[in-house]
Amino acid sequence: MALTLELARFTVREGEEAALLAERLAMVRALDRAFPGARAAWLTREDDGSWLDVILWSSREAADDAEQRIAELPEARSWFRHIAESHGVRHAEVMHEERFR
């Protein structure tokens, strides 16, 4: 099974960026506890002001399982309320990996 990146692009409700960031740690810790296939998470803001949530999963199956059950986590539901509009979720299979220091 290949590592899989999940890429979720979205915008944040006006005035809620600080809350989104403040609640991020609780949400990703809950994700880690609930889904053993979760490997890492990054939250980025793009040049156009939209956000990109990047999650590294142990496999596509792990990513799909989490996508189906993520709403079961109260921390995730709370965090998602800050999202104004979703621009979709994509998955990409990691074909090569090289780690630096």
Side-chain angles (χ1 to χ4, degrees):
M1 293 190 278
L3 292 173
T4 298
L5 288 171
E6 179 177 277
L7 309 159
R9 195 162 169 262
F10 59 92
T11 57
V12 176
R13 293 183 189 281
E14 188 172 330
E16 296 192 25
E17 287 185 1
L20 177 94
L21 292 170
E23 295 174 22
R24 176 70 175 179
L25 183 58
M27 194 277 287
V28 295
R29 285 186 175 166
L31 184 84
D32 181 41
R33 285 191 305 272
F35 302 107
R39 295 288 177 255
W42 299 267
L43 181 62
T44 68
R45 185 172 38 212
E46 299 191 48
D47 289 342
D48 67 359
S50 66
W51 293 72
L52 183 67
D53 195 359
V54 180
I55 309 288
L56 178 64
W57 295 98
S58 61
S59 66
R60 177 62 189 261
E61 292 78 16
D64 289 343
D65 177 52
E67 188 173 8
Q68 294 299 313
R69 299 187 310 123
I70 191 73
E72 297 172 9
L73 302 179
E75 297 90 345
R77 286 194 311 270
S78 178
W79 194 77
F80 292 153
R81 79 181 191 282
H82 301 300
I83 295 174
E85 184 178 0
S86 171
H87 296 285
V89 176
R90 299 176 296 133
H91 293 94
E93 184 176 325
V94 176
M95 302 304 292
H96 174 265
E97 175 186 3
E98 186 68 34
R99 295 186 186 210
F100 302 100
R101 294 180 254 341

